[in-house]
Amino acid sequence: MNFTITQVNKLTDKHWDLLLLADPNKDLVQKYLQAGITFEVRKKEKLLAIMVLQAISQSKLEIKNIAVDPKFENQGVATKLLTYAFQFARQRNYQQLQIGTGSTSFKQLYLYQKVRFRITEIKKDFFIKNYQQHIYENGLLLRDMLVLTANL
Ligand code: ACO
Ligand code: ACO
């Protein structure tokens, strides 16, 4: 699939729809949007996906949000975005790239480990403490966040 990855400066409702797919806590999303850099994927004019990167220390960059329009899932779009994040982080001399996801997010855990992330931390009850509504995924109540890290 032919598409472009570029930085976004002005967010539209369509960007927000994608951001909230990956993270339903709008307040948290607002915070990392302000501190981070947002990228979009387009095929011709059509918005396919979004990704937000934020430096969390001098040596560590985090992928705070990554989401693909459900109509374009499982076609390699997120894999391309993750590869882009690795390149971006290396070019800017970060030493580690980090990403957090739910312990019930089986597809995400497969994908992130496929591109070399390793589980490095468990944030117990993160989704119970930080989200007003309970999140159910793959038939399970989501409680814990798994943090995955890749050395660059
Ligand atoms: N279990 C395991 N693997 C699966 C499953 C499953 N249930 N479903 C699909 N897969 C595989 C696919 O076969 C594919 O593997 P392959 O490339 O080896 O064949 C892989 O998972 C998916 O890879 P991509 O096509 O590159 O990923 P996609 O473009 O579909 O995007 C994403 C993945 C971002 C998770 C997308 O599904 C999405 O936006 N989901 C909703 C939002 C979300 O959960 N975002 C991540 C939250 S965490 C965060 O934002 C930091
Ligand atoms: N991703 C997510 N869920 C899946 C997948 C998958 N790839 N494949 C199947 N499932 C679901 C099934 O739909 C079912 O869910 P449901 O009951 O909600 O519909 C569930 O997983 C499987 O449940 P059971 O049928 O009760 O489990 P099963 O009798 O198949 O046994 C086991 C599971 C023990 C893991 C079996 O597959 C096995 O022996 N695997 C090889 C040996 C192994 O890995 N053993 C465990 C190692 S860890 C240890 O021994 C301590």
Side-chain angles (χ1 to χ4, degrees), residues 59-93:
S59 62
K60 212 183 262 189
L61 187 71
E62 179 167 348
I63 302 172
K64 300 297 288 190
N65 191 303
I66 180 166
V68 175
D69 181 329
K71 292 195 287 293
F72 297 93
E73 276 186 304
N74 299 319
Q75 296 176 43
V77 177
T79 304
K80 287 258 166 58
L81 265 175
L82 291 167
T83 305
Y84 186 89
F86 273 89
Q87 281 169 1
F88 181 93
R90 277 194 205 100
Q91 279 165 6
R92 280 158 185 78
N93 294 319

Side-chain angles (χ1 to χ4, degrees), residues 73-137:
E73 276 186 304
N74 299 319
Q75 296 176 43
V77 177
T79 304
K80 287 258 166 58
L81 265 175
L82 291 167
T83 305
Y84 186 89
F86 273 89
Q87 281 169 1
F88 181 93
R90 277 194 205 100
Q91 279 165 6
R92 280 158 185 78
N93 294 319
Y94 289 98
Q95 277 152 34
Q96 288 185 316
L97 190 59
Q98 178 171 306
I99 192 163
T101 196
S103 63
T104 53
S105 307
F106 305 133
K107 173 182 172 181
Q108 291 78 350
L109 287 167
Y110 160 77
L111 176 62
Y112 302 158
Q113 290 175 92
K114 189 181 84 167
V115 297
R116 283 204 310 108
F117 282 101
R118 305 265 310 261
I119 294 170
T120 45
E121 190 188 344
I122 302 169
K123 291 188 176 169
K124 283 257 197 183
D125 291 319
F126 180 88
F127 293 99
I128 303 290
K129 290 177 188 154
N130 292 289
Y131 291 74
Q132 281 183 344
Q133 311 274 349
H134 281 168
I135 301 170
Y136 286 86
E137 195 180 21

Side-chain angles (χ1 to χ4, degrees), residues 24-86:
N25 186 333
K26 203 169 179 179
D27 293 340
L28 277 185
V29 177
Q30 291 276 19
K31 274 192 196 144
Y32 55 69
L33 280 174
Q34 275 165 23
I37 309 175
T38 303
F39 295 92
E40 64 177 13
V41 180
R42 283 187 190 269
K43 188 183 178 191
K44 294 183 182 158
E45 290 303 299
K46 192 150 182 46
L47 179 67
L48 307 192
I50 199 158
M51 176 172 72
V52 184
L53 302 179
Q54 185 194 336
I56 51 167
S57 74
Q58 274 199 343
S59 62
K60 212 183 262 189
L61 187 71
E62 179 167 348
I63 302 172
K64 300 297 288 190
N65 191 303
I66 180 166
V68 175
D69 181 329
K71 292 195 287 293
F72 297 93
E73 276 186 304
N74 299 319
Q75 296 176 43
V77 177
T79 304
K80 287 258 166 58
L81 265 175
L82 291 167
T83 305
Y84 186 89
F86 273 89

